Amino acid sequence: MNNVFLPPDLARSGEGELTFAGQSVSALADRYGTPLYLYDEARIRENCRLFLREMHESFPSGSRPLYAGKAASFRQIYRVMREEGMGIDVVSSGEIHTAASVNYPMDSAFFHGNSKTDEEIAFAMDRSVGYFVVDNPEELLAVDRAAARRGIRQKILLRITPGVDPHTYAAVNTGCVDSKFGNSIETGMAEEILGLALSLPHVALVGFHCHVGSQVFYEDVFETCARIMLGFCRDAEKRHGYRAALLDLGGGYGVRYVESDPEVDLSAKLRSLGRTVREYSAALGIPAPAILLEPGRAIVADAGLTVYTVGAVKRIPGYKTYVSVDGGMTDNPRFALYKSRYTCLPAKESGTGAPMRCDVVGRCCESGDIIAQDVLLPSGIARGARIAVCTTGAYNYSMSSRYNRFPRPPVVMLRDGESYVAVRRETPETVAENDL
Ligand code: LLP
């Protein structure tokens, strides 16, 4: 099957064995069982280093990337982020605890979310989370109160809605005026919350944040956002004499899941964004603020692979063929949620027949439990064969569930030709462990 594109880190040996980060996928499945999440640690680090390097070289001084942990959040990821010098974006007490528990320096953590509770605000402050990205006036007042009780001034950014359409799927579109996130410039809400933030004694406003969407391919989107947000910074300076030190332009860089997705030259995109920021700030007559970006998917998606074992292969004459596997929407809900597309590959290719079109489906009690629709697999594929679903490092483990009480798969990391468990496999017993 030479018509399928191979994402980075994947190769076929002469005997038709699929390898990931140089290791045999079948051998890893034999050792750890399936379903199995694999991550290539070196690839995660390379993706971080690309952002770190480009942002250091092309952006105003003090600019840095923050890893958006929502894409994949477990302890080992935060150890890697600590070692690489990445900032992080956190959205819950669970993410905060996970990072803090491996000594991630929490002063480099940015706390997001549009509905932070008083308990979470306290939890984050008690763990010295560096920055709160404040979504709305009620939250701003709550943060000010919590900081007052502790006798501190909490550093904050305000989430602003620039009113930019990211041209991506609706569920991850967050930049438009009617978004549940942030304060839109167009409606005057942004100006209002800015005035409020500047009037409060226990918050220190360090800048602004926006995030318009995810799996975005048009570079225009980021550059347009940068211009609108820099314009907002200029207006803040004019109207309030307030100068933003930080401008966080969020995450969203798209990755290639299937051959028809565009190839992305991320370095070139980042350099161009850096140039836009510097040139446009100069044109507006303001000093360029330090820029933050919050990549999640671009850091971990192509570092991940999921391995399954095939169960039934159901051929419905005149209709379609289903290849069912031992996982499903519980470990990858992205088709069910977004109709996402994936590249699927057999772990062993030789002697397995011509390509056939099929749907790879899971074992949950729902017809929507599909992992990938209309993909090519060898026609000889049968119960017991292994298949790999590529580019599953982002939003698969992190959005996994225990629907039908299927235990979650383990996360196994690959490093220097070795492998190690980063998250243990759940068992029927651990699934019930909180039940009384
Ligand atoms: N910053 C903020 C404030 C965000 O809301 C997000 C993603 C990111 C950064 C990271 O975006 P990324 O670089 O990963 O695109 N579950 C969906 C994606 C949801 C994204 C939510 N926010 C999916 O599986 O496609």
Side-chain angles (χ1 to χ4, degrees):
M1 284 185 19
N2 51 10
N3 53 344
V4 176
F5 106 105
L6 282 182
D9 284 356
L10 284 149
R12 280 272 173 218
S13 74
E15 297 79 52
E17 272 287 338
L18 185 68
T19 63
F20 183 55
Q23 302 192 38
S24 154
V25 168
S26 302
L28 289 161
D30 287 346
R31 175 161 174 200
Y32 294 104
T34 60
L36 173 64
Y37 293 118
L38 295 175
Y39 278 92
D40 174 11
E41 194 184 308
R43 169 71 49 182
I44 297 174
R45 290 181 189 272
E46 275 165 36
N47 291 338
C48 292
R49 286 173 198 176
L50 186 149
F51 274 92
L52 288 160
R53 187 177 60 242
E54 298 301 348
M55 292 195 72
H56 179 71
E57 283 173 10
S58 308
F59 286 70
S61 89
S63 299
R64 71 184 299 208
L66 317 175
Y67 167 62
K70 64 204 82 189
S73 178
F74 47 88
R75 285 187 169 142
Q76 181 59 7
I77 284 277
Y78 294 111
R79 291 190 191 101
V80 171
M81 294 306 144
R82 187 190 66 208
E83 287 165 13
E84 294 298 328
M86 295 282 287
I88 57 169
D89 142 354
V90 290
V91 282
S92 69
S93 46
E95 287 187 359
I96 291 170
H97 170 74
T98 308
S101 70
V102 292
N103 294 325
Y104 179 85
M106 295 309 283
D107 56 344
S108 289
F110 288 68
F111 186 20
H112 281 273
N114 66 308
S115 187
K116 302 176 185 78
T117 65
D118 287 346
E119 288 74 22
E120 282 173 321
I121 290 169
F123 189 90
M125 276 185 195
D126 291 342
R127 277 149 195 83
S128 308
V129 165
Y131 302 83
F132 280 54
V133 181
V134 172
D135 183 87
N136 54 70
E138 291 93 327
E139 182 184 310
L140 179 54
L141 293 169
V143 170
D144 185 65
R145 279 194 303 271
R149 273 198 293 278
R150 288 166 178 75
I152 59 168
R153 268 187 99 203
Q154 176 61 52
K155 283 188 275 184
I156 64 161
L157 281 77
L158 294 176
R159 182 156 179 167
I160 304 298
T161 314
V164 172
D165 186 345
H167 305 290
T168 183
Y169 36 102
V172 296
N173 178 337
T174 51
C176 296
V177 176
D178 59 356
S179 168
K180 78 166 176 172
F181 297 101
N183 304 272
S184 99
I185 299 176
E186 186 187 309
T187 59
M189 290 165 80
E191 173 61 23
E192 244 169 72
I193 197 168
L194 169 59
L196 180 60
L198 292 173
S199 74
L200 297 174
H202 295 285
V203 294
L205 182 65
V206 294
F208 304 114
H209 168 276
C210 72
H211 167 83
V212 296
S214 194
Q215 187 63 354
V216 173
F217 283 107
Y218 299 84
E219 50 237 72
D220 230 34
V221 169
F222 296 102
E223 312 227 341
T224 307
C225 278
R227 287 194 197 94
I228 292 174
M229 294 298 290
L230 287 167
F232 186 73
C233 292
R234 191 259 331 260
D235 292 349
E237 192 158 335
K238 262 197 186 156
R239 289 198 204 125
H240 301 274
Y242 169 73
R243 181 171 286 180
L246 293 180
L247 176 58
D248 185 339
L249 296 174
Y253 283 97
V255 307
R256 198 171 182 210
Y257 287 94
V258 290
E259 188 147 37
S260 55
D261 285 336
E263 269 182 85
V264 182
D265 183 347
L266 200 48
S267 291
K269 282 189 174 194
L270 291 174
R271 262 177 250 147
S272 155
L273 181 61
R275 204 169 36 245
T276 300
V277 168
R278 283 186 281 103
E279 289 175 1
Y280 199 66
S281 302
L284 290 174
I286 57 169
I291 299 296
L292 305 173
L293 294 177
E294 299 172 337
R297 195 188 308 269
I299 300 293
V300 287
D302 68 2
L305 184 83
T306 311
V307 192
Y308 300 101
T309 301
V310 172
V313 177
K314 188 169 287 176
R315 295 181 168 83
I316 306 178
Y319 290 88
K320 59 160 73 175
T321 299
Y322 289 105
V323 172
S324 53
V325 296
D326 56 352
M329 63 193 292
T330 43
D331 59 76
N332 184 354
R334 296 192 66 255
F335 182 87
L337 286 169
Y338 321 116
K339 301 274 173 288
S340 303
R341 299 179 64 207
Y342 283 100
T343 298
C344 302
L345 302 168
K348 282 198 179 96
E349 191 162 60
S350 48
T352 43
M356 69 168 175
R357 282 208 173 274
C358 57
D359 287 3
V360 175
V361 298
R363 53 186 174 156
C364 293
C365 306
E366 288 206 28
S367 295
D369 177 21
I370 294 169
I371 289 177
Q373 208 169 40
D374 203 19
V375 294
L376 289 174
L377 283 173
S379 53
I381 202 140
R383 185 176 177 88
R386 262 61 179 266
I387 61 171
V389 179
C390 307
T391 327
T392 55
Y395 304 107
N396 281 225
Y397 169 73
S398 65
M399 295 209 300
S400 62
S401 76
R402 286 170 167 176
Y403 180 44
N404 290 163
R405 287 235 146 168
F406 284 117
R408 286 189 181 88
V411 175
V412 168
M413 310 269 292
L414 310 183
R415 178 174 61 201
D416 300 333
E418 310 269 319
S419 56
Y420 64 94
V421 176
V423 181
R424 279 195 288 271
R425 184 182 291 286
E426 293 182 353
T427 65
E429 291 74 30
T430 59
V431 163
E433 74 192 346
N434 287 336
D435 297 10
L436 300 177

